[in-house]
Amino acid sequence: MARIAIGGFQHETNTFAPTKAGWDAFNIGGGWPPVTTGNELFAAMEGRNISCAGFIEGAQAAGHELVATTWAAAAPSDVVTDEAFDRITGMICQGIRDAGAIDAVYLCLHGAMVTESHEDGEGETVARVREVVGPDLPIIVSLDLHGNMTRRFHELVTACVAYKTYPHVDMADTGKRTAAVLDRILAEGKPAKAYRQIDFLIPLSWQCTMMAPSGPVYDRMTAMETGGVWTTSYLPGFPAADIADCGPSIFAYGATQADADRAADAIAADIRRLEPEFAGKIYDPDEAVAEAVRLSQGASKPVVIADTQDNPGAGGNGDTAGMLKALVNAGVEKAAIGLMIDPEAAKAAHAAGVGAQITIPLGGCSGIPGDTPLEATYTVEALHDGQTTGTGPFYKNAKMRLGLSACLRIGGVRIALATHKVQMADQNLYRYVGIEPTEQAILVNKSSVHFRADFAPIAHEILVAAAPGPMIADPAKLPWKKLRRGMRLSPLGPVWNGPVWNG
Ligand SMILES: [Zn+2]
């Protein structure tokens, strides 16, 4: 039995997104629990699809004593403020100091945090924890699959374990796998480790593990975890963080350096070989709606369109109106879009009441270039206080506090409207405002990939559309400045050779 200090700090930073994450963003948490310190963490994690929850379950089952420090997460956005970063890392470090004698530290991190002062938020977090525990104590970390991991991070952690699914249906399971690796470290000592980077960016849409090439890459990787290879991770990266180390990375841990190197090299070779296959069609808004109308003729299930560039899971605020306009302009019937995040519109709907007609500007709140509100008259069909619970595999049991919410209708288009942003990755995010997703001909989901876990089973077809939004689907179109030179900006795409200076 060991004594293990546990904590967590998760943020996925889109440096091209409109809003920074301050302390309040961590206390709202979006679909996550708010900042939690001490023993309350155990109740907050119970039954949740979060790595920390799985780690707690696995480590307690193995008989270990856990000492909770602080756990915090915010919805993806622009950089974490220095104030929030110093405060939360300070709380974790203080919790570790207060824990007394410990045998290891477990951290539930994301892997793509950029702060106002640090490009490598996780490397800096682990460095501060290392200062407290010294160079030898095991620090083990669970990671999201969307990490932009650095060599500094690799050198500071004893081992890390990342998700293997996107949509992330294995978050809790990853925590359990992390607990198993820690057990092995406590019994056998530290593993040899290997780290590799891949030199091309992969768009989110083609990282999905429900299809090739990404799914089979993970299958082959998992098959290597035998004999001297303890655990392997492949992170395809979060291709919207303007930092030197943005992009895919690979971690392998084994009994010997040769075991770790062999596994890491095999995974890297597999991904490099498949570079041309990380590709697919991205529609413009009108083209996507026209194609959805065509595909939905005679279909018994909805055609689902991913409004991928306004994905709140990647830094969008869920308020762009491009896809809404495309639906309204096409005069479609039995269509729904969600979640639109517009606090003023939600307030207006609640003030007017069910059945009322309101003339308001809807969406367009973030001022994204090329995006404006849709000013029109909407019927208020339903109202809700925004307290609801996820029912699908991704947001299972997530207690959501979405603020004032409503169903608005314009022509044949219904809008699931809320005050606080969360990714449309759960059918209940339509149902809670009275929209039955299975009865629609067309659904437009503000999500890139996570929606597939709950919506693929009810979808006739899935299309990916790019309306003006902050999460640019093709990373080659982003205004990079700090990315390391020599990276290809997309699979087989242009090579980045530094910013172009105009005068
Ligand atoms: Zn992720």
Side-chain angles (χ1 to χ4, degrees), residues 12 110 144-146 163 166 168 313 450:
E12 182 181 66
H110 184 288
D144 195 279
L145 168 151
H146 294 109
Y163 309 159
Y166 181 32
H168 305 327
H450 285 318

Side-chain angles (χ1 to χ4, degrees), residues 304-305 335-339 406-407 414-417 424-438 440 442-446 455 458:
V304 181
I305 303 173
I337 180 169
L339 285 171
C407 171
R414 288 185 168 79
I415 300 132
L417 171 69
M424 177 51 87
D426 195 296
Q427 293 180 39
N428 185 53
L429 293 172
Y430 284 112
R431 290 201 181 102
Y432 89 109
V433 289
I435 300 168
E436 176 48 48
T438 58
Q440 308 304 313
I442 301 173
L443 294 170
V444 175
N445 288 358
K446 287 185 179 285
F455 285 87
I458 65 157

Side-chain angles (χ1 to χ4, degrees), residues 29 147 204 297 356 409 440:
L204 288 184
Q297 303 299 323
R409 185 176 59 77
Q440 308 304 313

